[in-house]
Amino acid sequence: MADFVHLHVHTEYSLLDGLSKIPKLVTQAKLLGMKSLAMTDHGSLYGAIKFYKECKEEGINPIVGCEMYVAKRSLYDKEAGKDNENFHLTVLASDFEGYQNLIKLVTISHLEGFYYRPRVDKEILSKYSKGLIALW
């Protein structure tokens, strides 16, 4: 099990979807002998710093990510019946530049793309893609 890495994990910061408390999640990963663990909450990075610190304290490599909502059209399109549907894309930061780009994307999704949920689109993902790994 030590070589297995969970790359899609929701914490209590994944509103209405996650249940795992970060300290217990990291402790369980350590007990199972895992060397790395990802956090990919829905549309947010609220728990990223806590997750990072907990993982580092336990000797686990933290992988910070986010399960983003991607608009079918532009993130600026907000027409009822057309733009309330979206799909999920799990995005992981592979380095510090990726983490910074992930922060930019999440911020844009909340401030500019929010329509029912915080959304990005393919154009903005492309603009801030350096250092990111997308899981389709």
Side-chain angles (χ1 to χ4, degrees), residues 42-44 66-89 102 104-125:
H42 277 290
S44 75
C66 182
E67 186 172 4
M68 308 191 113
Y69 299 101
V70 182
K72 288 187 176 181
R73 302 188 308 159
S74 165
L75 67 101
Y76 300 104
D77 292 328
K78 298 174 183 176
E79 187 179 333
K82 286 187 179 180
D83 298 308
N84 52 325
E85 293 182 23
N86 49 62
F87 61 92
H88 295 179
L89 179 67
L102 195 59
K104 288 175 188 172
L105 287 167
V106 169
T107 300
I108 290 166
S109 74
H110 281 267
L111 297 179
E112 298 176 34
F114 200 95
Y115 186 68
Y116 290 91
R117 293 185 168 95
R119 307 171 309 148
V120 294
D121 60 20
K122 291 176 186 174
E123 182 181 329
I124 205 76
L125 280 167

Side-chain angles (χ1 to χ4, degrees), residues 11 29 31 45-46 67 80 127:
T11 72
L31 288 173
L45 293 170
Y46 301 132
E67 186 172 4
K127 183 176 181 181

